[in-house]
Amino acid sequence: MDDALSLLQQRHSAPSRQLGEPAPDATSLRSLLEAAIRVPDHGKLVPFRLIALRGESKLKFGTLLAERAIRRDPDLPESKREKERHRYTFAPLVIAVVARIDHDAGIPEIEQKLCAGNVAYNILLGAYALGFGAQWLTGWAAYDAEVAGLLGLAANECVVSFVHIGTPQAEIPDRDRPALDDLLTEWKG
């Protein structure tokens, strides 16, 4: 395996339910996030920002999300209510990656969202490189206006991902990956 590509060839998500303490310390987290924001950025708009959720604040956010999930669907089965109640109790750190869309910049919205998505992916790669586990989650909360209000998002902002970060508490097997030959074609005009 080419050492220069080994990180990409080995990276895999760690389910958030299998993440525990420790999270990156302040110095490692700062380095991780400084590296993560080095992304392609058409127009140099910096169309993203980050919100760290940890400690009691993270747990409070998780409680508010669970309450919102039940208000959204009063018939939510108890098993799903329980899942919502515990979603933010596992990983010690969650980074919300937020896209900030500048509608007047002349840069397509999709490019701005992809820029923010690259930040989220770089967080995953960086966490893995530092020996941590991470999982990119969205789900209903990323698209809910009330949750956006909880996070203090402006009208031109949206959640791209909630990246859960911590230390894997068990061995995480890799999943089957698609074969490149099934995905790659060559255009010949």
Side-chain angles (χ1 to χ4, degrees):
M1 184 180 322
D2 185 346
D3 287 342
L5 295 178
S6 65
L7 176 70
L8 290 174
Q9 293 168 327
Q10 295 175 26
R11 192 221 64 87
H12 59 277
S13 294
S16 64
R17 291 180 164 268
Q18 295 181 7
L19 296 173
E21 293 287 354
D25 63 26
T27 302
S28 295
L29 180 60
R30 183 165 188 86
S31 295
L32 167 61
L33 297 179
E34 285 176 342
I37 63 173
R38 295 179 57 94
V39 293
D41 180 1
H42 185 181
K44 300 177 188 170
L45 298 177
V46 190
F48 54 84
R49 68 184 179 100
L50 308 171
I51 302 171
L53 303 162
R54 57 184 141 204
E56 289 300 317
S57 297
K58 175 186 64 91
L59 296 175
K60 174 71 171 174
F61 181 73
T63 298
L64 293 171
L65 257 60
E67 292 169 359
R68 173 65 179 137
I70 294 166
R71 281 195 312 279
R72 281 171 48 105
D73 183 2
D75 297 325
L76 195 65
E78 184 56 36
S79 61
K80 290 189 178 182
R81 289 174 184 229
E82 194 66 15
K83 182 178 180 180
E84 293 295 341
R85 286 185 194 108
H86 293 287
R87 186 179 305 274
Y88 284 80
T89 62
F90 301 103
L93 173 65
V94 178
I95 303 291
V97 179
V98 176
R100 296 187 305 184
I101 307 304
D102 183 339
H103 297 285
D104 298 322
I107 307 299
E109 182 176 328
I110 186 68
E111 290 187 29
Q112 295 180 59
K113 284 185 177 177
L114 287 169
C115 179
N118 281 319
V119 172
Y121 187 62
N122 277 354
I123 294 171
L124 289 177
L125 284 175
Y128 186 78
L130 292 173
F132 294 96
Q135 185 177 28
W136 171 333
L137 297 172
T138 49
W140 67 268
Y143 310 105
D144 185 85
E146 190 173 313
V147 174
L150 285 173
L151 290 169
L153 302 189
N156 68 321
E157 295 182 319
C158 63
V159 173
V160 170
S161 70
F162 295 104
V163 182
H164 296 242
I165 305 169
T167 299
Q169 303 298 297
E171 185 69 27
I172 311 292
D174 200 6
R175 65 175 172 85
D176 289 339
R177 301 295 174 164
L180 178 61
D181 291 340
D182 294 339
L183 303 171
L184 178 65
T185 58
E186 187 169 331
W187 188 78
K188 297 182 182 194

